[in-house]
Amino acid sequence: MAETSILLESGTNEIEIMEFTIYGELYGINVAKVKEIMMSAHVKPIPHSDPAVEGIFKPRDIMLTVVDLPFYLTGRTTTPQEKDLFIITNFNKMNIAFRVHTVVGIRRISWADIRKPDKTLNSGKEEGIATGIAQCGTDLVTILDFEKIVAEIAPETGIQIDEVQQVPEEIRKNESIVFAEDSLLLSRMVEQSLNKAGYHNIKKFNNGQEAWDYLKSIRNDSDLSEKASLIITDIEMPQMDGHHLTKLVKSDEKLKKIPLIIFSSLINEEMERKGRELGADEQLSKPEIGHLVSIMDELIERRKKDETVRS
């Protein structure tokens, strides 16, 4: 058993990737999602569960669901091996174990060196399960989208649009929201949720770099507050991550007054500390879409009051 630790400073636009193999192929997971590595153990099957759910096991005082990642990725029937490992993860406030064959090690790279795969790698679908392809030395590492994997297996664990109350279209229609999220699926779900809540003026960007380029282009405009009422950003994004975007925004004299919410599956005690250091106004875990809307209202109202006082 081995515990992991987050070694990165805040806002450096770097990521630590834990590399692992399945049938000899190299994959990666953000170290920030990993709690520990364990030797595989006996798993109790659960009737009528998803085929990719191997079952449950209880290593100590916590019950963990085990996802058969080799089966999920290849469709091949898994024969558990004595040397298999469990990667114990924590994201979206859930603890889940993933079976893998080997763990290779950890590498630190820049988000600028990670590229989104094109549709030819996704079997023609709009979005696959690879959040990015990283060049690690001479190796190409496929970084898996573990949130999407879990959401496919158990849709009830993802964003629930039903949590958002439907309001008349004129409510909140004048607020302009800058939204950075690399997942097309999550971006669409968040946009639908915010539209339902009355936020219709949403400027979507695929990563922090695109959002930053836009913000720089409007920073000197007299109607800045109308063009960017609030910023919502994910953390994990190719090119520029959400922490680096937050650092740039909150270090800029004109942009730092824009309320900024980090909306990510990675929110935990350590990540909250990093976000506070960088100046994020709020930090929420992705399933909390209903809470997101109320926090947006609060921050926008607070900014308006501050601007009234200054004027």
Side-chain angles (χ1 to χ4, degrees):
M1 184 187 306
E3 293 189 358
T4 64
S5 59
I6 301 171
L7 305 177
L8 300 183
E9 300 173 7
S10 301
T12 63
N13 204 40
E14 292 176 301
I15 178 176
E16 284 183 328
I17 297 295
M18 176 174 287
E19 299 175 15
F20 60 90
T21 66
I22 291 175
Y23 294 120
E25 295 296 324
L26 201 56
Y27 297 94
I29 179 173
N30 188 342
V31 169
K33 288 189 173 78
V34 180
K35 289 188 67 176
E36 59 183 308
I37 309 299
M38 300 182 67
M39 295 300 297
S40 61
H42 173 72
V43 177
K44 178 178 176 58
I46 299 298
H48 307 298
S49 60
D50 186 279
V53 174
E54 191 171 333
I56 57 174
F57 86 121
K58 190 176 182 181
R60 290 185 287 272
D61 296 326
I62 184 170
M63 193 80 70
L64 293 173
T65 298
V66 180
V67 174
D68 185 347
L69 199 54
F71 173 81
Y72 178 88
L73 293 176
T74 68
R76 295 162 60 178
T77 300
T78 299
T79 302
Q81 302 296 317
E82 186 177 342
K83 293 183 179 180
D84 287 353
L85 298 170
F86 288 159
I87 297 179
I88 313 301
T89 65
N90 178 266
F91 54 87
N92 283 341
K93 299 184 177 180
M94 297 182 296
N95 294 310
I96 301 174
F98 291 86
R99 180 183 292 275
V100 302
H101 291 152
T102 68
V103 170
V104 178
I106 295 174
R107 298 205 212 195
R108 181 171 178 168
I109 60 175
S110 170
W111 278 106
D113 295 327
I114 298 176
R115 296 290 183 269
K116 288 286 285 187
D118 61 32
K119 292 182 180 180
T120 59
L121 298 179
N122 299 335
S123 301
K125 297 179 182 178
E126 185 177 33
E127 186 173 30
I129 58 167
T131 191
I133 307 295
Q135 180 78 50
C136 295
T138 59
D139 298 321
L140 285 176
V141 181
T142 303
I143 304 173
L144 296 177
D145 188 340
F146 283 83
E147 292 94 326
K148 191 169 190 293
I149 292 172
V150 173
E152 286 185 1
I153 294 172
E156 67 278 6
T157 64
I159 289 175
Q160 302 298 312
I161 299 176
D162 291 344
E163 292 181 9
V164 179
Q165 183 179 359
Q166 180 80 49
V167 300
E169 288 191 9
E170 65 270 13
I171 304 296
R172 308 180 178 109
K173 68 176 183 179
N174 294 323
E175 310 302 343
S176 181
I177 309 301
V178 175
F179 178 37
E181 167 63 68
D182 68 314
S183 168
L184 294 176
L185 174 65
L186 289 173
S187 177
R188 184 165 56 247
M189 293 181 72
V190 172
E191 182 179 32
Q192 290 172 354
S193 300
L194 295 184
N195 286 168
K196 185 178 178 182
Y199 286 106
H200 290 272
N201 188 4
I202 301 172
K203 297 178 174 64
K204 296 195 299 181
F205 300 94
N206 295 318
N207 55 63
Q209 184 64 59
E210 292 181 4
W212 176 240
D213 290 343
Y214 171 73
L215 290 165
K216 285 193 299 181
S217 73
I218 64 170
R219 69 182 296 276
N220 293 317
D221 293 359
S222 58
D223 57 349
L224 173 62
S225 62
E226 296 177 11
K227 292 181 177 178
S229 303
L230 180 138
I231 301 167
I232 302 172
T233 180
D234 186 19
I235 293 179
E236 294 182 287
M237 295 180 290
Q239 300 301 298
M240 182 188 292
D241 69 9
H243 276 164
H244 193 58
L245 174 62
T246 301
K247 182 177 182 179
L248 291 174
V249 170
K250 294 303 181 179
S251 299
D252 186 283
E253 284 301 315
K254 293 188 177 180
L255 299 175
K256 67 182 182 181
K257 298 181 180 66
I258 304 173
L260 185 146
I261 300 173
I262 295 177
F263 191 52
S264 168
S265 65
L266 291 178
I267 300 303
N268 55 31
E269 185 176 340
E270 174 68 12
M271 284 299 185
E272 283 188 325
R273 179 188 63 78
K274 289 188 174 187
R276 285 195 302 271
E277 290 177 354
L278 296 169
D281 295 278
E282 286 288 351
Q283 302 172 80
L284 297 173
S285 183
K286 273 180 177 171
E288 302 176 28
I289 191 67
H291 191 198
L292 173 64
V293 172
S294 62
I295 292 298
M296 291 170 64
D297 290 344
E298 180 182 324
L299 291 177
I300 290 173
E301 185 62 27
R302 185 190 306 169
R303 179 187 183 185
K304 289 178 178 178
K305 288 181 179 178
D306 290 344
E307 290 177 346
T308 301
V309 171
R310 287 196 298 269
S311 61

